[in-house]
Amino acid sequence: RDHGTLPKQWHRAQLSIVYPGYPLRDTSESEASHRYRITRHAAHVDGLLPQGPQRRRYLKEPHAFILGLPLNRSDAAPLMVWPESHKIMGEAFRHLRNHDDPTNVDLTEAYHSARRLVFEQIEPHAIVSEPGQAILLHRHLLHGVSPWQEGVQAPQEGRMIAYFRPQFSAKEWLSAEI
């Protein structure tokens, strides 16, 4: 309660399952996109969805936070986070406060510029987790999934985490509070 309005409704969870060999190249994926998934762990901020043939980024899912509950332990494809990146990414979105409807503002350039700045300044860290633990990520934190590492402890069914991402209003998403 000290950090803003609690979500009125929780969504049913997004299951993140990563199998041995991740990331295989999708037939519709460009070489550059595939390379990004490998070298940058597919780093992203949740809720900024690509729209249209040019894949411009818009705030379409303003999540309050990201809560991950590991369903098994796997060191082979851990969650990757860029510590403190939420400050850089959040600053890149501050200009949205001046818009009546921030969900209709093209964020592509601001998003890509901020992401480049994060990559220049911050080293990613692996988050290895197991059932009984919880992972809480700030809504602006840059995060992704490491490519599968052969020879590392991994369950046969792959790495599985359930992510809960309750939605806020765009105005609350823009605030610095979690």
Side-chain angles (χ1 to χ4, degrees):
R1 284 185 253 186
D2 294 341
H3 297 292
T5 307
L6 293 173
K8 291 181 176 82
Q9 187 174 24
W10 289 71
H11 84 354
R12 295 167 57 134
Q14 172 194 40
L15 290 178
S16 172
I17 304 174
V18 180
Y19 298 103
Y22 171 84
L24 299 176
R25 185 170 174 196
D26 189 320
T27 56
S28 64
E29 182 178 44
S30 71
E31 179 60 36
S33 292
H34 183 66
R35 190 172 46 254
Y36 181 79
R37 288 199 300 144
I38 294 169
T39 61
R40 298 293 190 190
H41 313 293
H44 63 282
V45 171
D46 280 15
L48 303 179
L49 304 183
Q51 304 286 300
Q54 300 300 318
R55 300 182 56 79
R56 308 300 292 178
R57 296 285 177 156
Y58 293 87
L59 174 60
K60 294 300 181 185
E61 295 179 355
H63 304 298
F65 51 82
I66 303 160
L67 174 64
L69 300 178
L71 302 177
N72 63 7
R73 180 183 174 100
S74 176
D75 299 358
L79 171 69
M80 301 298 290
V81 299
W82 281 256
E84 304 293 317
S85 64
H86 66 287
K87 295 175 183 175
I88 294 170
M89 300 306 294
E91 188 58 36
F93 307 136
R94 296 290 177 255
H95 71 281
L96 290 175
R97 291 179 178 172
N98 301 327
H99 293 273
D100 292 334
D101 185 2
T103 63
N104 285 323
V105 177
D106 185 343
L107 296 171
T108 308
E109 279 77 25
Y111 176 60
H112 289 170
S113 293
R115 224 173 38 183
R116 278 191 296 277
L117 188 59
V118 168
F119 294 149
E120 290 170 7
Q121 295 183 4
I122 302 172
E123 288 295 318
H125 290 267
I127 306 294
V128 176
S129 55
E130 58 187 71
Q133 296 178 326
I135 305 161
L136 181 63
L137 304 180
H138 189 281
R139 62 186 153 268
H140 298 160
L141 190 75
L142 197 63
H143 63 282
V145 178
S146 173
W148 192 272
Q149 301 168 40
E150 294 300 326
V152 176
Q153 176 185 340
Q156 189 172 359
E157 68 271 14
R159 191 274 287 147
M160 300 186 293
I161 301 175
Y163 288 105
F164 295 88
R165 305 173 307 165
Q167 290 200 21
F168 263 6
S169 70
K171 180 181 176 186
E172 289 171 310
W173 187 87
L174 290 168
S175 76
E177 299 296 324
I178 186 164

